[in-house]
Amino acid sequence: MIEEALKIKMGDPSKSSLREEVLDLEFKGIETKFSLSDLRDGKEVEVYVDKKTGEEFYKIYSENGPSQRLLSMLLKGVINVSDVVRVRDEYYSHHQNLNLVEASKDVKNEAKADLFIIFRVFGDSDHIYYENSFDQKTLKAKNLKAPIEHHNLILDEENKKLTIFDFHKPWIENIKISTEKTNAFYSYLEDFFEDLILDRFGEIKERNLVLPIIKRKVKMFLGLFSDEGFKMFEKMIKRSGVALDKKNQKDLFDNLKLRLEALAKALEKNNL
């Protein structure tokens, strides 16, 4: 009953963003978070809580707060990522309540698909899914309980849910991909993505499970990166706080769209 009431009040955080203008955050304390990538010492984080809802947030110390915020907005609705909010000119990462998130049909392969897209299209490589890397004895010895935090990825295998957070330094402000729209360049990008796919998903069985998820999500992203989508993209840039002039905004939009198109074609090639 409590979770159902929360769903009505908060909504599914994988589908909708928080209204940061109504947040009233107060410092809760410093907590040590353990993950599979930091089992020995853990990581200290400043935890803040919203007075009205009780939702928790972790303060972002990095200067890349605006870039993290923009990427979270771009991914939201296609890939489940934590909101990055700005409150009184400080940036915070939302700690999602996975009980409110809709279950995945295939959470392990969705995690693989999501991380591939985030890295190879949007340029953030600082997320890792440690599949079969740690046995249950190791987890119990370190007192890690479900859902397990991998590296900037929380995966609840039992309930088939996941969330991704902490976009360390995406390409947002430094993307350097040519926008030359020639057949030769398109062909290069398609071959580039085809090689990446075959290298990352070497086994046919794995490709058959992961690639349909990637294809579905790339199609959704291309809907956002339509010619009409640039106006919305501009609004996201402005809201995020990322400092890009008009030309660089359009270059970034075109670069991301080009990569999505090339990846879509690479997936179609040879029935990948």
Side-chain angles (χ1 to χ4, degrees):
M1 292 293 291
I2 294 176
E3 296 301 342
E4 289 301 319
L6 276 173
K7 285 182 181 179
I8 294 172
K9 185 176 182 180
M10 300 296 300
D12 183 342
S14 68
K15 296 181 172 63
S16 59
S17 294
L18 296 165
R19 290 181 57 207
E20 61 185 30
E21 63 271 16
V22 302
L23 294 174
D24 186 9
L25 304 185
E26 64 178 359
F27 181 63
K28 180 182 178 182
I30 296 176
E31 296 182 7
T32 302
K33 299 291 182 180
F34 290 91
S35 68
L36 294 182
S37 59
D38 195 0
L39 283 170
R40 177 176 295 178
D41 301 317
K43 178 182 178 182
E44 287 191 345
V45 294
E46 285 187 18
V47 182
Y48 289 75
V49 63
D50 179 42
K51 294 178 183 178
K52 297 178 183 178
T53 64
E55 292 289 293
E56 289 188 342
F57 298 81
Y58 301 142
K59 189 170 183 179
I60 296 174
Y61 304 95
S62 168
E63 63 183 7
N64 302 313
S67 295
Q68 291 196 36
R69 192 172 184 225
L70 176 57
L71 187 50
S72 73
M73 286 192 283
L74 289 172
L75 299 175
K76 178 69 72 170
V78 181
I79 293 174
N80 183 26
V81 296
S82 295
D83 282 313
V84 174
V85 300
R86 182 170 62 189
V87 179
R88 294 185 292 274
D89 294 325
E90 299 284 356
Y91 290 85
Y92 303 84
S93 178
H94 178 221
H95 180 210
Q96 279 192 6
N97 181 349
L98 284 181
N99 291 325
L100 305 182
V101 174
E102 184 178 335
S104 169
K105 293 180 180 179
D106 185 356
V107 72
K108 291 184 179 181
N109 288 311
E110 182 166 7
K112 296 175 186 178
D114 288 349
L115 297 191
F116 183 86
I117 293 171
I118 289 174
F119 180 19
R120 296 305 182 180
V121 175
F122 295 94
D124 194 321
S125 60
D126 197 31
H127 298 85
I128 303 172
Y129 169 37
Y130 296 107
E131 186 180 23
N132 302 322
S133 295
F134 298 84
D135 59 29
Q136 290 301 311
K137 184 181 290 186
T138 302
L139 299 181
K140 288 179 180 178
K142 294 297 181 180
N143 199 30
L144 282 182
K145 301 176 182 178
I148 300 299
E149 182 174 326
H150 293 247
H151 185 69
N152 298 333
L153 160 72
I154 295 177
L155 190 67
D156 185 343
E157 293 186 20
E158 182 178 350
N159 295 303
K160 298 180 171 56
K161 299 179 180 185
L162 67 87
T163 183
I164 298 167
F165 58 94
D166 193 1
F167 308 103
H168 177 61
K169 194 170 180 61
W171 285 333
I172 297 299
E173 297 181 68
N174 299 294
I175 195 162
K176 300 294 183 183
I177 305 163
S178 172
T179 54
E180 181 186 0
K181 295 187 176 181
T182 64
N183 290 334
F185 187 64
Y186 269 126
S187 179
Y188 160 74
L189 268 185
E190 289 170 32
D191 291 343
F192 171 73
F193 275 111
E194 185 176 359
D195 290 342
L196 284 177
I197 290 167
L198 293 174
D199 180 62
R200 171 61 184 84
F201 307 109
E203 296 182 5
I204 294 176
K205 181 180 179 181
E206 185 179 36
R207 287 205 298 272
N208 289 340
L209 292 170
V210 179
L211 298 192
I213 301 174
I214 295 178
K215 290 175 72 171
R216 172 171 56 82
K217 297 198 175 195
V218 167
K219 184 177 180 180
M220 294 171 70
F221 277 121
L222 283 171
L224 300 174
F225 281 84
S226 63
D227 292 336
E228 297 78 18
F230 182 63
K231 290 183 179 179
M232 181 60 69
F233 186 79
E234 286 181 300
K235 292 179 181 178
M236 288 184 182
I237 293 276
K238 183 177 181 180
R239 186 172 173 80
S240 71
V242 169
L244 288 178
D245 61 26
K246 189 83 170 182
K247 181 183 181 302
N248 285 325
Q249 289 180 29
K250 189 63 167 64
D251 284 346
L252 175 59
F253 181 86
D254 289 342
N255 281 324
L256 293 173
K257 181 179 180 180
L258 196 65
R259 294 182 73 81
L260 287 164
E261 290 173 341
L263 177 53
K265 290 182 179 179
L267 289 165
E268 292 174 6
K269 211 171 184 179
N270 301 318
N271 294 318
L272 286 176

